[in-house]
Amino acid sequence: MKIGSVADHRSREGGALVYPVYSRRSGGLSAGVNLFPDHKLCSFDCPYCEVFPFESSLRFDLEIMKSALRSALNEALENRVEVRDICFSGNGEPTLSADFRAALEAARIIRDELFPAQNTAGLQKTQPALVVITNGTGLLDDDTFELLRGAADCASGPANGLSIWLKLDAATEAWYRAVNRSPVNFAALIAAIKRFAQSGAPFILQTMICLVERKLPPPEEESAWIDLVTELAALSHARRTADGGLRGVHLYGKARPAPEDPRCEKAPGEVLLRRADLARTALSKANLPARVEVFE
């Protein structure tokens, strides 16, 4: 199976159920799992989204996914390439798939089989993480909320639990309408994210900062975002274990072409760096990190 570059995710739009790529965010090889090989399915409609329009006659098949994932991971082992994670993202919001629960469990079993926690081989020093990149709308459903909370539970150790990368692009409804364009009720979504933080489940916040229609997030959005991040850290701290609750913030800019270009454009690097500095200050009392990626 061909391993793509950090900029090459197009195989998922060609119907690939598993697409191994070198990822900036994970810092190594990421085996992407695509639950929507036939069409994009998402509860957000972000203008920066890099998934180009496509149609495929393929449908998600759990057995094919397991075979493809096993093949990709075995190829990495044979070539002594370290696998950083198995990531559920693909052509939409993973939690919308009826196959998400079964696929997540299958990936965990294959990961544990090929990368035993106490016996990693070759260049592989730790188990690949299981990652889901989610926009958080699944948290409005009680069953999905509990699935994510339970899968991310670190009782068996943080390396074994699900790593949740939770999107939080906007802290005001006006910017939410501009950058996420979702019919999902904004107040209800923020309330669900707060409840998730309070549950003690570990997660990382991811925020895209970009220009939309040549406009940066306004000052009131930046201020509200800092206030919300501070509140989420406090809610997490009230219930967190050593590894639970909010574990940090990841800020990133636009890196790849999108179908709606140039409606959405890269933000200047100094804008991201400034927001990261504000986040670090806000999170300093909780001793939490703020990471930033600036793509030039």
Side-chain angles (χ1 to χ4, degrees):
M1 180 174 291
K2 179 183 177 183
I3 296 174
S5 72
V6 70
D8 178 17
H9 288 63
R10 297 303 299 275
S11 60
R12 68 186 182 193
E13 293 159 2
L17 272 62
V18 175
Y19 54 103
V21 296
Y22 287 102
S23 168
R24 288 188 184 95
R25 288 184 226 177
S26 68
L29 183 69
S30 175
V33 177
N34 179 21
L35 298 173
F36 307 113
D38 53 339
H39 70 292
K40 177 182 174 181
L41 181 61
C42 192
S43 46
F44 278 10
D45 184 26
C46 306
Y48 62 77
C49 181
E50 67 217 29
V51 179
F52 281 75
F54 78 102
E55 290 184 5
S56 170
S57 60
L58 297 176
R59 295 294 182 269
F60 182 83
D61 183 287
L62 185 63
E63 294 305 314
I64 294 176
M65 176 229 125
K66 290 194 291 187
S67 176
L69 181 60
R70 191 182 300 276
S71 174
L73 296 179
N74 273 322
E75 180 177 333
L77 282 170
E78 290 168 5
N79 289 283
R80 298 176 64 81
V81 174
E82 185 164 6
V83 181
R84 298 302 299 273
D85 63 50
I86 301 168
C87 182
F88 287 81
S89 178
N91 295 321
E93 169 53 37
T95 63
L96 289 176
S97 170
D99 296 296
F100 176 59
R101 183 187 296 267
L104 182 62
E105 177 61 12
R108 184 193 65 78
I109 291 172
I110 292 170
R111 187 272 310 264
D112 290 352
E113 174 190 328
L114 297 181
F115 301 89
Q118 304 302 321
N119 186 32
T120 52
L123 296 179
Q124 193 77 26
K125 298 179 177 61
T126 60
Q127 278 192 312
L130 290 177
V131 174
V132 61
I133 301 177
T134 176
N135 62 27
T137 56
L139 298 177
L140 294 165
D141 174 75
D142 288 343
D143 288 342
T144 303
F145 185 104
E146 289 303 318
L147 170 61
L148 292 175
R149 187 197 62 76
D153 186 356
C154 288
S156 60
N160 297 325
L162 177 67
S163 295
I164 297 174
W165 297 0
L166 179 60
K167 179 179 289 295
L168 183 68
D169 290 340
T172 61
E173 184 156 7
W175 191 246
Y176 174 72
R177 296 299 171 201
V179 77
N180 297 136
R181 300 187 306 193
S182 175
V184 175
N185 182 275
F186 175 70
L189 177 59
I190 295 300
I193 292 173
K194 290 180 180 180
R195 187 163 65 94
F196 196 66
Q198 203 165 22
S199 77
F203 65 99
I204 294 172
L205 284 180
Q206 283 201 320
T207 298
M208 159 69 85
I209 298 179
C210 56
L211 287 85
V212 179
E213 303 288 1
R214 299 190 174 182
K215 295 179 180 178
L216 284 167
E220 59 269 25
E221 163 61 31
E222 181 177 80
S223 176
W225 184 89
I226 291 295
D227 289 345
L228 182 53
V229 167
T230 303
E231 183 179 0
L232 291 172
L235 289 170
S236 298
H237 183 72
R239 295 287 300 275
R240 71 189 286 184
T241 63
D243 294 297
L246 179 64
R247 300 181 68 184
V249 171
H250 177 202
L251 296 146
Y252 65 105
K254 188 173 181 297
R256 304 185 186 99
E260 293 195 47
D261 289 347
R263 175 173 289 179
C264 184
E265 300 172 282
K266 290 182 181 180
E270 57 266 25
V271 172
L272 279 79
L273 294 172
R274 179 178 179 277
R275 180 77 73 91
D277 284 342
L278 292 172
R280 291 185 187 106
T281 299
L283 297 172
S284 60
K285 289 184 179 179
N287 196 30
L288 294 173
R291 175 186 171 196
V292 60
E293 286 182 284
V294 179
F295 303 124
E296 301 297 346

